[in-house]
Each structure stands twice: as C-alpha cells, then as structure tokens.
Amino acid sequence: MTTAVVWSSPNRNGLTASAKERIISGIRNYGSEVDEIHLNALRVKLCQACGNGWGTCRANGSCILSDDFADIYERLVRADGIVFVTAVYWHDMTEFLKALLDRLRRCETAHNGFLRGKRCLITACAGGTGLGAVECLQNMEQTLGHMGMRVYDRLAVIRYNKEYMLDTLEKAGEVYARRTAEGFDMQY
C-alpha cells in the first residue's frame, strides 16, 4: 500500500513542509508506504498547447516535453492514494502544482483515465491572512474532478490554526491511509 504525497512550496521548513510531514507521519503510523514528490525540486514545464492546442496528450496520453512529468505521472498511477499539499499564493495553488495538474488533466481527460476514481486528500497552507485557503482547495478539487479523481477530504491550514491543525493533519493522514487500504466507497 503506497500513498503518493505531492507537495509544493519553495520553503522546505515552512508551514507547507510541516503540514506535509505531519500527513506523512500519519500515513506511516498506519503502516503504509509513502512516495514523497516535492515538485519544487523537480522539473515540470508548462504545457505548450502544442499541435494546434492538442498534441500527443490527446492522441496517445503522453506529453512531448522532456522533463520529470512522465516519471511523476507513472508514480501517481502506481499509488493507491494521492495527497496534494500546496502553499497558497493569491488564493490558489502554487505554479508548480498548477503546471503538473494542467498537464495531467490533458493526458487524463483526453485519453488515459488512469487516475479516474483515485481518492485524494488535499491540503492548502496559507501563511498570510489565510483567506485564500478555501478558494485554493476549491480550485484543486475542481481540477481533480475534471480527471474523475475523488477528493476524500479538504484541509485548510493557516498560521492562525496551525497549533491544532498540525495534529489534525497527522490523524487525517492515518485515517486516510486506513480507509484507502480498506477500499472505502465515497457516496457522492
């Protein structure tokens, strides 16, 4: 049982990194393996909308760009569950996560469908006022929904609630891993 934890923040010691660590701790407490994917440490180029808007993503479910995308995509397909953790910038996910999800969405919706039905846990970490965390979660869920992925839970972490949310994230990771292993059904 493996859970891919995809996270994006340039700060390896900030709120987003702390949230990611607590979720991973919870997943491991259950006994599941974790495949950690730090997008800021990898190369994921922006979609070029090649081929008059639809290139090889539509024709065969792959991307012509040479970077770390194909490896990340394969790791997500192999994972039993996926957790996305992002810093919040201007009420949205990081540019690194947007770049990944844009390219995944093209390959998934136009051709593959490998991620359809995968249950996800999403977390948005806002260090400023925290007002953008909920909008960020909504944007993430909508994008994942285009690919047929199902969001199990949405967790907003802001600098004002981090004292109790970090503990909550650890428990959420543990429960998510258990329910993923049990094959829970989501009725929506």
Side-chain angles (χ1 to χ4, degrees), residues 16 31 54 134 150 185:
T16 305
W54 288 99
V134 172
R150 300 175 76 187
D185 188 23

Side-chain angles (χ1 to χ4, degrees), residues 102-122:
D102 282 345
R103 288 174 62 194
L104 280 174
R105 181 170 37 188
R106 282 183 171 267
C107 291
E108 279 293 299
T109 60
H111 190 275
N112 295 337
F114 300 145
L115 301 175
R116 180 167 295 286
K118 290 251 186 186
R119 280 111 173 131
C120 303
L121 177 70
I122 59 175

Side-chain angles (χ1 to χ4, degrees), residues 119 150 184-188:
R119 280 111 173 131
R150 300 175 76 187
F184 66 96
D185 188 23
M186 298 170 61
Q187 301 297 319
Y188 68 85

Side-chain angles (χ1 to χ4, degrees), residues 44-116:
V44 179
K45 297 176 184 176
L46 297 175
C47 175
Q48 301 298 300
C50 59
N52 201 21
W54 288 99
T56 58
C57 55
R58 182 179 216 163
N60 64 18
S62 65
C63 184
I64 63 165
L65 296 177
S66 179
D67 59 7
D68 294 315
F69 174 77
D71 177 61
I72 295 167
Y73 192 7
E74 183 179 319
R75 291 162 71 180
L76 297 178
V77 170
R78 281 194 319 255
D80 298 293
I82 304 172
V83 174
F84 292 98
V85 184
T86 186
V88 175
Y89 298 138
W90 296 280
H91 299 226
D92 209 348
M93 64 194 102
T94 68
E95 289 76 4
F96 285 89
L97 184 55
K98 278 190 233 175
L100 174 69
L101 293 180
D102 282 345
R103 288 174 62 194
L104 280 174
R105 181 170 37 188
R106 282 183 171 267
C107 291
E108 279 293 299
T109 60
H111 190 275
N112 295 337
F114 300 145
L115 301 175
R116 180 167 295 286

Side-chain angles (χ1 to χ4, degrees), residues 133-144:
V134 172
E135 286 180 53
C136 177
L137 290 169
Q138 182 180 17
N139 292 339
M140 290 171 67
E141 185 165 3
Q142 185 175 35
T143 300
L144 296 171

